[in-house]
Each structure stands twice: as C-alpha cells, then as structure tokens.
Amino acid sequence: MTKQVTPTLAIVVPCYNESEVFSLCLRELSAVMADMAGNGLIAGNSYLLFVDDGSKDDSWTQIEAACRGNGHVRGLKLSRNKGHQVALMAGLTAADADIIVSIDADLQDDISVIQDMVKAYLAGSDIVYGVRGSRDADSGFKRFTAESFYKIMELMGVQQVSNHADFRLLSRRACAALLAYREQNIYLRGLVPLIGFKSSCVYYDRAERAAGESKYPLKKMLSLALEGITSLTVTPLRIIAALGLSISALSMVATFYSILLKYTGKTVEGWTSVMIAIFFMGGVQMLSLGIIGEYVGKIYMETKGRPKFFVEKHVGGAPDAS
Ligand code: UDP
Ligand code: MG
C-alpha cells in the first residue's frame, strides 16, 4: 500500500472547562507538531483542532484567540456540553487530514509518543492505540475505579485494548469507517477495535493532570461504563437468561421437596422459606426488568435518530458552512 510520504496531521483535542490548562496544552502540542513538521514526518499544513464542549469558563475565548494569526490552530464550538465521546466525534467529523490523533487537553498522555504513532502509521498501521504503561500518577481511587471499569467491561464481553483511553491515531480511512457507525450510544474505545484494519500500540507512562481537575467524576465514569456495556454487548441479557434457568432448576428441586413434605405430613412449617423465595424472586425480577429496560431505553433513543451535536462556531482553517 502506498502512503503519502508527508501526511497532514490533525490533532483533535476535546476541551470542557479547560481554561487552566489550555495555554500549556497549546504550547506543548504546537511544539511537538512543529518538531515533526521540521523532521519531515508530517506536512506543514498540519493543525490542532480544539473542540469546545460547551465550556462554562473562558476556554472558547482562549481557543478563538489562539486561532487568530495562527494557521495551525482551529476551533470548533459545540452548541452545549455533550460529553467527551460526542465532542471527540464532532472533532473527528470536522478533521480533514490524512491522519487524525485524538488526545485529552490535560496532557496526562505523553505527547512525545505522537511521533511514534505517526511512524507506526507510516509503517502501515491504520489505527495506533496509545497504551498506558503505568498509572502511578493517578490517585489510588482513580486507579481502582479505572481498573474495575476495565475488568467489568471485559467480563461483560466488551473487547477493547486495556489501558487505552482516547489517545489514538486514526488514518483517514479508519476515521471514515468509525464515522460510518451511526449509533447514538457512543463508546469509542469499544467501537474502534470493531473497524478492523491493521493496528498497533505505542506505550507510555500516564502523567498527572497538568492543571485543573478531572472532568470525569465517578458518576460520569459509571455512566460511561454502562454506556460501553449496553451499547456493545448483550451479555447482561444472557446473564438474566442463565439466572432464570438456574432458578427454574432450583425450583424443580424445591417442588419435589415440597411434595415430599406434604405426603409426610410436615406441611405447617415453611413460612421462612416462602418469605425468602418471595423476596428473592421479587428482587431478581425487578433487577432483570431494570436491565432489560436499559436496553429498551437504548433502542428508544436509537430509533429517534437525533442529531448527536450541533456546531455553533468554527474558527481557523477553511470556514465551514455550519
Ligand atoms: N471532556 C469533554 N467533555 C466533558 C468532559 C470531559 O470534552 O463533558 C474532555 C476534557 O476536557 C478532557 C478529556 O475530555 O480533555 C478527558 O477528561 P478528563 O481529563 O477530565 O478525564 P480523566 O483523565 O480524569 O478521566
Ligand atoms: Mg485526564
């Protein structure tokens, strides 16, 4: 396969209330890009694309200011906060380049490995995953929740590259393939491996957030995990079926036991077991209904086919018509 010798690169950076870290992020990423362009690794018209995900602080003002007089910076403002995954999708939709790297604004991911990603692309990979070697910089709680998150997802049958978040390189065609998935419920880490194409990994150590605080509180993380599971696998439904089957088998035994008791004349006792059975079955049924409901809810949202995001403004680069 022939690949353009000096590909254009777009680095997509979702920003939600990242005013504290923005200037550092801009400076560091610009330096890395200038370096790569200097070495002939990427084309001179490569650029950074910041996606403002409805920030309430002055992130957008800073993005606009950065675009002024700098042809290597572009900005995209979403009409409201839609979450990290949708902000990324918006960036990928707008990015027009041979290779697209997505990275968080907080510089927790080692930007020096972007070079290695580009090299892996030049060597033939369409997807390059950034994989964290160590999480020493994260707090114990963050590490524990993140690790449980991957474990549970794996148990539920979601295939993903473990310790890979949303720091990755996509070739133009891999990006187009990803955007062809039209679903409303987006969990990119689970979707990207479904595309196929040749992929590889680059490894790095995760640093601390350069400034500001995490925009992923436990609540958002739990909903991301739930999103990932319910949008990528039906294992929970299978678990319900298996549970139903096991309980049915158990109840057969209980039936025989009850009949036996009846004919041996010991039928007065048994209040406790009846109560336990009622509570247990009630609980299991409610839980099962809840899980099924979660999937029905997903179907409901999918059938609406609502637009995932609206772009309020573009700055920098060729002005777009939206
Ligand atoms: N982010 C976003 N929209 C949101 C929440 C987060 O665009 O609603 C962005 C955020 O600005 C950052 C990235 O997603 O660039 C990852 O967020 P963060 O670093 O806070 O997550 P953590 O590393 O703590 O999991
Ligand atoms: Mg972070």
Side-chain angles (χ1 to χ4, degrees):
M1 185 178 49
T2 52
K3 277 185 176 164
Q4 195 185 326
V5 186
T6 47
T8 46
L9 165 71
I11 301 183
V12 173
V13 192
C15 301
Y16 177 56
N17 295 343
E18 297 290 8
S19 134
E20 278 172 79
V21 84
F22 180 78
S23 57
L24 180 71
C25 174
L26 173 69
R27 199 165 352 113
E28 302 266 313
L29 284 176
S30 301
V32 163
M33 237 177 35
D35 227 37
M36 287 192 286
N39 293 336
L41 215 52
I42 56 168
N45 58 347
S46 299
Y47 60 94
L48 302 174
L49 173 61
F50 291 97
V51 181
D52 177 54
D53 184 20
S55 297
K56 289 171 186 70
D57 63 6
D58 71 342
S59 297
W60 177 248
T61 321
Q62 291 196 41
I63 295 170
E64 273 186 319
C67 292
R68 239 169 270 136
N70 185 344
H72 297 291
V73 185
R74 298 185 192 179
L76 193 72
K77 181 175 163 55
L78 299 190
S79 60
R80 50 162 285 206
N81 179 246
K82 296 292 288 188
H84 182 201
Q85 303 291 297
V86 173
L88 268 174
M89 282 300 259
L92 296 182
T93 309
D96 179 19
D98 299 317
I99 40 183
I100 296 141
V101 168
S102 57
I103 187 166
D104 292 350
D106 58 4
L107 301 180
Q108 281 195 283
D109 305 308
D110 183 356
I111 56 173
S112 66
V113 302
I114 296 178
Q115 265 199 40
D116 302 331
M117 287 181 163
V118 174
K119 284 179 190 156
Y121 162 80
L122 293 172
S125 292
D126 275 276
I127 302 168
V128 188
Y129 299 101
V131 178
R132 295 168 196 146
S134 95
R135 263 185 177 271
D136 292 347
D138 280 336
S139 69
F141 179 69
K142 179 91 199 179
R143 232 179 309 161
F144 173 74
T145 46
E147 266 155 29
S148 321
F149 172 97
Y150 287 113
K151 278 265 157 53
I152 294 171
M153 306 255 319
E154 199 182 312
L155 276 175
M156 292 292 167
V158 178
Q159 300 208 331
Q160 56 185 332
V161 178
S162 69
N163 282 321
H164 157 72
D166 285 301
F167 181 31
R168 73 175 78 80
L169 175 148
L170 295 172
S171 67
R172 191 188 284 275
R173 64 177 183 178
C175 183
L178 179 65
L179 293 174
Y181 284 80
R182 309 229 60 95
E183 53 210 83
Q184 301 287 311
N185 304 289
I186 309 166
Y187 179 68
L188 287 171
R189 274 167 251 182
L191 277 182
V192 174
L194 299 180
I195 300 172
F197 292 125
K198 189 172 183 304
S199 65
S200 53
C201 296
V202 294
Y203 298 87
Y204 65 97
D205 289 335
R206 186 147 160 103
E208 271 175 54
R209 218 175 202 283
E213 51 191 42
S214 173
K215 309 296 179 294
Y216 259 100
L218 188 61
K219 196 172 140 233
K220 266 196 188 173
M221 199 141 125
L222 283 176
S223 80
L224 185 67
L226 197 67
E227 185 77 44
I229 293 167
T230 51
S231 68
L232 287 161
T233 161
V234 291
T235 306
L237 297 178
R238 298 232 167 93
I239 293 174
I240 294 176
L243 201 68
L245 206 68
S246 328
I247 293 175
S248 306
L250 261 175
S251 67
M252 295 275 270
V253 177
T255 308
F256 283 123
Y257 179 65
S258 311
I259 293 171
L260 195 74
L261 283 189
K262 181 173 164 61
Y263 286 108
T264 48
K266 296 180 197 154
T267 41
V268 210
E269 282 178 29
W271 181 85
T272 318
S273 54
V274 168
M275 289 314 278
I276 290 174
I278 290 172
F279 282 129
F280 180 68
M281 279 317 296
V284 167
Q285 281 176 358
M286 292 302 273
L287 178 68
S288 306
L289 268 178
I291 295 173
I292 295 167
E294 191 65 38
Y295 281 91
V296 175
K298 283 264 139 73
I299 299 168
Y300 173 67
M301 289 317 288
E302 292 291 344
T303 53
K304 284 180 185 275
R306 285 180 176 167
K308 286 193 265 299
F309 57 84
F310 292 112
V311 175
E312 192 177 310
K313 271 182 208 164
H314 278 277
V315 279
D320 214 311
S322 43

